[in-house]
């Protein structure tokens, strides 16, 4: 029953939040406790998988592939853990204050609906249920993005939902074609049945449909333009939740589906993944350098760094995929932290336009020290986790003699350094515009708003210090993905499923 907890706990919390009296303090405490329980469940799932192997739950005792199956291998367990971490940080930030209008419209419950959808997507063992969880996430994220209904939010929300509905249409089309040929949608059953049922033409069509669908959700070039147009408009905590989790679900789905269904690394789709990843890196960072709003800079950086999380799939080696997994973990922490930092700017200066910022280092030295870690970790400065993760991604490129790809990744890393140095100089180091160099007096930020940022910064430093064991776990996760026999046996046992007969 352990595997159902990351889904049931957010669901139960969301229901409780809807039924409770609309008292801000009570709602915030319950939402935070629900996120803590989700984090505890994530830790428990990861420890169980790490020590005893892949975990499977056949819901209602219906055997696979006939019933609903929940599966946790190392990759999915790591992602559930990260979901709990981001959930704790985001719900914890509400103690510093939430717009009462948003709070009255179900803000806290919607966060847990989104956490439920993300956890379900990571744990499902069925490709149709993956689609269902995508839609749960889409509903929760769309409403969160459009709460309070400013013009900018509505425009961003409709752009976001329109492109994601298009992705869902591609995904559902691919699922229909897959089921028509294979007769099953269970991941493990598909891994056994598809090699006998596939045809070259259908294989190519399905792989491109999946790539298009997951590419939109992950934010890969040329399918990314909805992301920088939408992620900067909602409140900082919502931006942190969306940036930390939603694109990573697209990356997770791409790696999960492709390693199970398309195990031929010479297929043309992997060339497409490599090219899209490389161009995404460049376009995202070039776009970031042209922005003046801190959150738009982060949105374009988010796009650029998605390329680092998908390129390992194209290289198709355990080391490359392990590097991508480690990069996903690092990026979920730092991008969520930086979106929360943008909330500190809003609290202090009521703007995230870097041209109107400055002087934060003098006015808020502790905040500046906190922000320094994720800024330069994202830039890949040694010895922070970003440097280690980028080294884990670039190393396999050189080993595979993909020198041009490695050169692009290194050049993008230099662009990230330039982008983050610019953010640091304009937001923290330069004097406040039209103020003396010492900066105007500003009130100190309270512990409630700083604690979630400090929590994520501490974990970023912890990932840096524990880089070696984290990379070893990521390598084991990559080996499980590239050798899915253990996954198949855990789900189906030694019996022969109907679809493979």
């Amino acid at each position: 029953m352990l595997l159902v907890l990351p889904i049931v706990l957010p669901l139960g919390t969301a229901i409780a939040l809807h039924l409770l009296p609309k008292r801000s303090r009570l709602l915030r405490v319950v939402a935070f406790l629900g996120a803590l329980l989700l984090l505890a469940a994530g830790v428990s799932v990861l420890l169980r998988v790490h020590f005893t192997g892949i975990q499977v739950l056949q819901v209602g005792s219906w055997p696979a592939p006939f019933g609903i199956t929940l599966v946790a291998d190392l990759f999915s367990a790591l992602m559930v853990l990260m979901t709990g971490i981001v959930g704790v940080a985001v719900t914890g930030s509400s103690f510093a204050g939430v717009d009462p209008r948003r709070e009255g419209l179900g803000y806290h419950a919607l966060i847990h609906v989104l956490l439920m959808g993300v956890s379900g997507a990571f744990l499902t063992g069925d490709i149709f249920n993956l689609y269902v969880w995508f839609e749960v996430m889409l509903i929760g994220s769309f409403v969160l993005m459009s709460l309070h209904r400013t013009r900018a939010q509505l425009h961003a929300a409709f752009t976001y939902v329109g492109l994601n509905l298009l992705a869902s249409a591609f995904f559902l089309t691919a699922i229909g074609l897959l089921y028509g040929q294979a007769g099953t949608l269970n991941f493990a059953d598909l891994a056994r049945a598809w090699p006998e049922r596939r045809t070259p033409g259908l294989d190519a069509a399905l792989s491109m449909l999946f790539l298009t669908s997951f590419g939109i959700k992950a934010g890969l070039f040329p399918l990314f333009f909805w992301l920088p147009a939408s992620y900067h408009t909602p409140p900082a905590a919502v931006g942190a939740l969306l940036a930390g989790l939603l694109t990573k679900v697209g990356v997770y789905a791409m790696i999960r589906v492709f390693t199970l269904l398309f195990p031929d690394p010479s297929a043309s789709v992997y060339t497409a993944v490599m090219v899209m990843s490389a161009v995404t890196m460049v376009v995202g960072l070039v776009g970031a350098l042209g922005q003046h709003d801190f959150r738009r800079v982060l949105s374009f950086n988010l796009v650029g760094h998605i390329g680092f999380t998908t390129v390992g799939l194209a290289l198709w080696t355990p080391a490359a995929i392990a590097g991508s997994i480690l990069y996903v973990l690092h990026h979920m922490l730092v991008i969520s932290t930086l979106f929360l930092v943008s909330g500190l700017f809003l609290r202090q200066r009521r703007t995230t336009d870097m041209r109107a910022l400055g002087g934060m280092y003098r006015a808020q030295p502790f905040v500046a020290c906190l922000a320094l870690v994720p800024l330069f970790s994202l830039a890949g400065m040694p010895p922070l986790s970003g440097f280690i993760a980028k080294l884990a991604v670039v190393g396999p490129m050189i080993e595979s003699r993909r020198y041009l790809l490695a050169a692009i990744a290194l050049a993008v890393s230099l662009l990230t350094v330039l982008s983050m140095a610019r953010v640091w100089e304009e937001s923290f180091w330069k004097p406040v515009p039209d103020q003396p160099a010492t900066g105007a007096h500003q009130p100190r930020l309270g512990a409630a708003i700083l604690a979630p940022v400090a929590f994520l910064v501490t974990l970023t430093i912890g990932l840096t210090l524990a880089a070696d064991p984290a990379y070893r776990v990521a390598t084991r996760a990559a080996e499980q993905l590239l050798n899915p026999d253990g996954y198949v046996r855990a789900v189906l046992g030694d019996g022969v499923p109907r679809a493979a007969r």
Side-chain angles (χ1 to χ4, degrees), residues 127-145:
I127 196 167
F128 181 76
N129 284 319
L130 179 61
Y131 164 78
V132 172
W133 291 120
F134 272 3
E135 298 312 296
V136 172
M137 289 187 301
L138 182 60
I139 293 169
S141 55
F142 172 68
V143 180
L144 274 173
M145 193 175 289

Side-chain angles (χ1 to χ4, degrees), residues 85-438:
I85 289 171
V86 174
V88 166
V90 169
T91 55
S93 69
S94 68
F95 287 104
V98 179
D99 185 335
R101 291 166 292 188
R102 290 190 175 90
E103 211 161 28
L105 292 171
Y107 169 83
H108 300 289
L110 285 166
I111 285 177
H112 281 273
V113 169
L114 182 57
L115 293 174
M116 176 185 67
V118 172
S119 298
F122 291 145
L123 290 173
T124 184
D126 181 291
I127 196 167
F128 181 76
N129 284 319
L130 179 61
Y131 164 78
V132 172
W133 291 120
F134 272 3
E135 298 312 296
V136 172
M137 289 187 301
L138 182 60
I139 293 169
S141 55
F142 172 68
V143 180
L144 274 173
M145 193 175 289
S146 58
L147 277 182
H148 186 37
R149 301 185 302 278
T150 65
R151 182 181 295 273
Q153 281 182 280
L154 282 178
H155 180 270
F158 280 109
T159 301
Y160 166 79
V161 78
L163 266 293
N164 277 273
L165 285 174
L166 181 62
S168 297
F170 281 118
F171 191 19
L172 197 57
T173 301
I175 289 173
L177 292 172
L178 185 65
Y179 183 72
Q181 185 72 4
T184 183
L185 294 176
N186 181 277
F187 280 134
D189 205 14
L190 281 169
R192 283 190 177 181
W194 189 242
E196 299 176 3
R197 305 289 179 86
R198 69 200 308 171
T199 63
L202 185 58
D203 221 38
L206 283 174
S207 63
M208 294 310 297
L209 281 170
F210 282 128
L211 178 58
T212 303
S213 174
F214 299 147
I216 291 174
K217 292 186 179 294
L220 279 175
F221 177 89
L223 311 165
F224 70 91
F225 57 88
W226 60 269
L227 195 157
S230 57
Y231 274 24
H232 69 287
T233 58
V238 175
L241 189 68
L242 301 181
L245 296 180
L246 293 196
T247 55
K248 307 310 182 295
V249 178
V251 173
Y252 170 86
M254 185 182 299
I255 294 174
R256 172 69 66 198
V257 170
F258 276 64
T259 52
L260 281 172
L261 295 183
F262 311 112
D264 180 10
S266 64
S268 59
V269 69
Y270 290 109
T271 302
V273 172
M274 186 179 299
V275 172
M276 291 170 70
S277 299
V279 179
T280 300
M281 295 178 195
V282 176
V283 171
L285 268 298
V286 171
L289 292 173
Q291 304 301 315
H292 295 284
D293 183 271
F294 181 46
R295 289 197 288 178
R296 286 186 67 86
V297 171
L298 294 181
S299 296
F300 276 99
N301 268 278
L302 171 59
V303 170
H305 288 264
I306 288 297
F308 286 91
T309 67
T310 55
V311 72
L313 179 63
L315 296 176
W316 199 266
T317 65
I321 294 181
S324 287
I325 292 172
L326 185 63
Y327 204 91
V328 167
L329 304 180
H330 142 77
H331 197 255
M332 291 174 83
L333 288 175
V334 297
I335 201 68
S336 299
T337 310
L338 288 172
F339 268 92
L340 290 178
V341 169
S342 74
L344 306 184
F345 291 146
L346 288 170
R347 185 64 62 94
Q348 284 279 288
R349 307 286 177 80
R350 301 184 185 280
T351 182
T352 54
D353 189 329
M354 294 188 297
R355 292 169 293 191
L357 297 174
M360 285 289 284
Y361 179 77
R362 298 173 181 84
Q364 305 284 353
F366 181 65
V367 172
C369 291
L370 285 179
L372 187 66
V373 174
L375 279 172
F376 288 99
S377 182
L378 186 65
M381 297 295 288
L384 295 170
S385 61
F387 171 76
I388 298 167
K390 285 182 180 176
L391 191 63
V393 172
V394 174
M397 298 178 188
I398 297 173
E399 291 173 4
S400 302
R401 299 186 179 182
R402 305 281 185 174
Y403 299 121
L404 177 59
L405 186 62
I408 291 171
L410 292 173
V412 168
S413 298
L414 291 175
L415 290 177
T416 309
V417 172
L418 180 60
S419 175
M420 293 298 101
R422 176 169 163 259
V423 168
W424 173 259
E425 195 278 332
E426 293 202 23
S427 302
F428 290 93
W429 196 252
K430 74 179 183 184
V432 181
D434 302 322
Q435 295 287 342
T438 55

